[in-house]
């Protein structure tokens, strides 16, 4: 059905819910590329005002992608919790915004609301929010997951140690790995993007990571970010798989472009859990997402890229992941043109993911052909830290030599922990103290040449 709003005696008509959401979205290059963005700032405001007056029940009666055509839509509708939704059922999108920002919406209330909100509701309310609103609500959300340590606790900030190497050289990876550990990085996961997606390479890297983890009794989890089918084959060969990884999107077509389906994701979950390698929990999945992937795959169905991204979070939460990561600036300026757009998208993704109950991390990053720089990333880093981001990336020098993009460094995590008084995951924090990497005040101690971790590199 069409939606209307009048601004300065001009009547704006939006032909359906999908169009209304797209026109209400803050400006970004990907929506302009797709031809779905508002043509003027006034049209955007008109759409936002119409969206603010829209009853939340509309999202249960009108799908942005038809139920019959898309398994993600079916997942969203079939898993909706009417009881949880009853708290806000009477509200409009604008009233939901006001409620989320009110003192009534505390952490416990927001946890109870998670399964009552559809991704489209979360996306819609984010479009009515300023950056500070996105930060305020996300900071109230608490999402806790567990494998060998406990992630997402209030007052904590974790990191993914990302020791990538362009040729998967074990000694090169080990050097970056030890470097990161000596800076207190790696409590979210020690995760390698392999240069080649081969089963034997994956098994070799998994064995190497597990050897280091066991040798030093590190209370963390490891992951080789191969395709899920490769990981399942590695499990069948007896590899020590802690977490199964997969990139996902917000429509059936996007996931097909990644070579996965909901059924395959379930198979991966069951195969990984069958190894029973967790010590404090069994959250065994690591998902990555990113605005623009649906348009890139020509599977966006005319949606704006942020709504499509938020639908990916419905896929993610169905599989109880340990980690979800929006790789916000990685896909390039065709989708997020500059630092301003990347900052806004990162805050949106984090807010929507946390609101829907996900353990959200953000790869605070950009490619070298985007109109962005490390100052923009410092800004987003600080804002996400204030918003309670679960984890960030730890890349040597913030420069990934294999994937060729700019991210955040081990030093960036130390900065954020220091200025915001954030601590690592509790189990990992105790290990850092025991290893003499940090003191009781979590100040970094100098690494001596004879330190056990330093000496270990020579064994690879």
């Amino acid at each position: 059905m069409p939606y209307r709003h009048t601004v300065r005696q001009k009547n704006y008509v939006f032909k359906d819910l999908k169009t209304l959401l797209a026109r209400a979205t803050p400006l970004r290059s990907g929506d302009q590329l797709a031809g779905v963005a508002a043509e003027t700032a006034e049209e955007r405001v008109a759409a936002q005002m119409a969206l603010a007056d829209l009853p939340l029940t509309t999202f249960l009666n009108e799908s942005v992608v038809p139920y019959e055509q898309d398994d993600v839509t079916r997942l969203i509708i079939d898993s909706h919790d009417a009881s949880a939704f009853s708290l806000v059922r009477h509200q409009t999108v604008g009233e939901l915004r006001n409620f989320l920002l009110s003192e009534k919406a505390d952490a416990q209330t927001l946890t109870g609301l998670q399964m009552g909100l559809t991704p489209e509701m979360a996306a819609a309310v984010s479009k009515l929010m300023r950056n500070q609103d996105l930060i305020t609500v996300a900071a109230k959300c608490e999402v806790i997951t567990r494998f060998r340590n406990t992630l997402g606790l209030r007052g904590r900030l974790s990191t993914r140690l990302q020791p990538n190497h362009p040729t998967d050289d074990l000694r090169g990876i080990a050097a970056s790995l030890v470097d990161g550990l000596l800076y207190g990085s790696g409590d979210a996961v020690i995760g390698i993007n392999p240069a080649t997606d081969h089963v034997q390479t994956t098994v070799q890297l998994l064995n190497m990571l597990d050897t280091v983890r066991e040798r030093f009794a590190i209370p963390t989890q490891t992951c080789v970010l191969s395709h899920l089918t490769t990981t399942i084959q590695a499990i069948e060969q007896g590899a020590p798989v802690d977490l199964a990884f997969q990139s996902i999107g917000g429509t059936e077509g996007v996931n097909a472009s990644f070579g996965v389906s909901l059924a395959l994701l379930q198979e991966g979950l069951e195969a990984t859990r069958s190894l029973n390698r967790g010590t404090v929990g069994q959250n065994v999945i690591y998902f990555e997402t990113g605005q623009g992937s649906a348009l890139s795959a020509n599977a966006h169905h005319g949606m704006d890229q942020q709504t499509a991204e938020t639908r990916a979070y419905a896929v993610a939460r169905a599989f109880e992941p340990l980690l979800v990561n929006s790789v916000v600036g990685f896909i390039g300026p065709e989708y997020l043109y500059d630092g301003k757009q990347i900052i806004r998208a990162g805050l949106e993704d984090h807010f929507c993911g946390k609101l829907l109950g996900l353990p959200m991390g953000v790869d605070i990053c950009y490619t070298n052909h985007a109109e962005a720089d490390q100052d923009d990333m410092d800004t987003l880093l600080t804002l996400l830290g204030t918003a309670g981001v679960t984890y960030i990336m730890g890349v040597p020098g913030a420069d990934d030599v294999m994937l060729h993009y700019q991210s955040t460094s081990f030093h960036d995590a130390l900065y954020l922990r220091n200025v915001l008084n954030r601590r690592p995951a509790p189990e990992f924090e105790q290990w850092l103290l025991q290893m003499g990497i940090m003191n009781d005040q979590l100040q970094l101690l100098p690494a001596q040449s004879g330190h056990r971790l330093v000496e270990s590199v020579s064994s690879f």
Side-chain angles (χ1 to χ4, degrees), residues 73-90:
T73 299
R74 293 193 289 275
L75 174 65
I76 291 168
I77 297 301
D78 295 349
S79 63
H80 182 253
D81 188 332
S83 177
F85 182 58
S86 64
L87 178 66
V88 296
R89 182 179 180 84
H90 62 285

Side-chain angles (χ1 to χ4, degrees), residues 50 127 137 149 174 177 182 212 278 298 311 381 423 427 433:
K127 298 175 193 299
V137 178
N149 56 27
L177 193 163
L182 290 172
V212 174
N298 195 28
R311 282 169 53 97
L381 172 69
R423 308 174 75 91
E427 300 89 346
L433 296 175

Side-chain angles (χ1 to χ4, degrees), residues 16 19 52 85 158 162 168 202 250 259-261 273 294 363:
D16 52 25
T19 303
F85 182 58
S158 297
Q162 186 170 309
D168 292 330
T202 297
V260 296
S261 64
R273 277 191 174 163
D363 191 343

Side-chain angles (χ1 to χ4, degrees), residues 85-100:
F85 182 58
S86 64
L87 178 66
V88 296
R89 182 179 180 84
H90 62 285
Q91 295 181 355
T92 64
V93 177
E95 289 169 339
L96 175 62
R97 173 192 175 274
N98 294 340
F99 171 73
L100 293 175

Side-chain angles (χ1 to χ4, degrees), residues 121-334:
M121 293 177 194
V125 75
S126 76
K127 298 175 193 299
L128 305 183
M129 288 182 158
R130 294 168 56 186
N131 286 359
Q132 68 171 249
D133 299 337
L134 298 172
I135 293 167
T136 298
V137 178
K140 295 194 285 186
C141 298
E142 188 175 35
V143 181
I144 300 169
T145 56
R146 297 177 174 87
F147 189 74
R148 284 200 191 90
N149 56 27
T150 307
L151 303 175
L153 294 169
R154 196 168 299 282
R156 305 278 175 170
L157 171 71
S158 297
T159 60
R160 169 189 161 187
L161 204 174
Q162 186 170 309
N164 294 344
H165 192 278
T167 63
D168 292 330
D169 179 76
L170 293 185
R171 292 194 68 187
I173 290 170
S176 294
L177 193 163
V178 169
D179 188 26
L181 290 172
L182 290 172
Y183 278 105
S185 185
D187 50 340
V189 64
I190 301 172
I192 300 171
N193 296 89
T196 57
D197 197 341
H198 296 157
V199 176
Q200 290 313 117
T201 300
T202 297
V203 171
Q204 183 182 37
L205 293 172
L206 285 167
N207 284 328
M208 176 265 195
L209 290 177
D210 202 52
T211 298
V212 174
R213 183 193 62 79
E214 286 197 324
R215 180 181 300 176
F216 299 103
I218 309 172
T220 190
Q221 34 284 329
T222 64
C223 183
V224 175
L225 282 68
S226 299
H227 191 272
L228 184 58
T229 53
T230 304
T231 301
I232 291 172
Q233 292 179 67
I235 291 173
E236 292 170 348
Q237 294 185 19
V241 174
D242 289 343
L243 307 181
F245 167 82
Q246 184 55 51
S247 295
I248 56 171
T251 69
E252 183 175 349
V254 183
N255 291 322
S257 76
F258 288 138
V260 296
S261 64
L262 298 183
L264 181 61
L265 294 175
Q266 183 64 32
E267 181 184 348
L269 173 66
E270 293 172 0
T272 311
R273 277 191 174 163
S274 72
L275 301 180
N276 198 32
R277 291 175 56 82
T279 55
V280 298
Q282 278 291 304
N283 298 113
V284 299
I285 301 294
Y286 176 9
F287 286 128
E288 283 190 351
T289 67
Q291 288 194 29
S293 61
L295 177 59
S296 178
N298 195 28
H300 63 297
H301 294 270
M303 282 185 286
D304 67 274
Q305 66 185 36
Q306 191 252 337
T307 298
E309 164 74 4
T310 306
R311 282 169 53 97
Y313 303 154
V315 176
R317 72 179 178 182
F319 299 95
E320 301 178 348
L322 180 77
L323 305 166
V324 179
N325 176 34
S326 166
V327 192
V328 66
F330 183 77
I331 200 165
E334 300 86 354

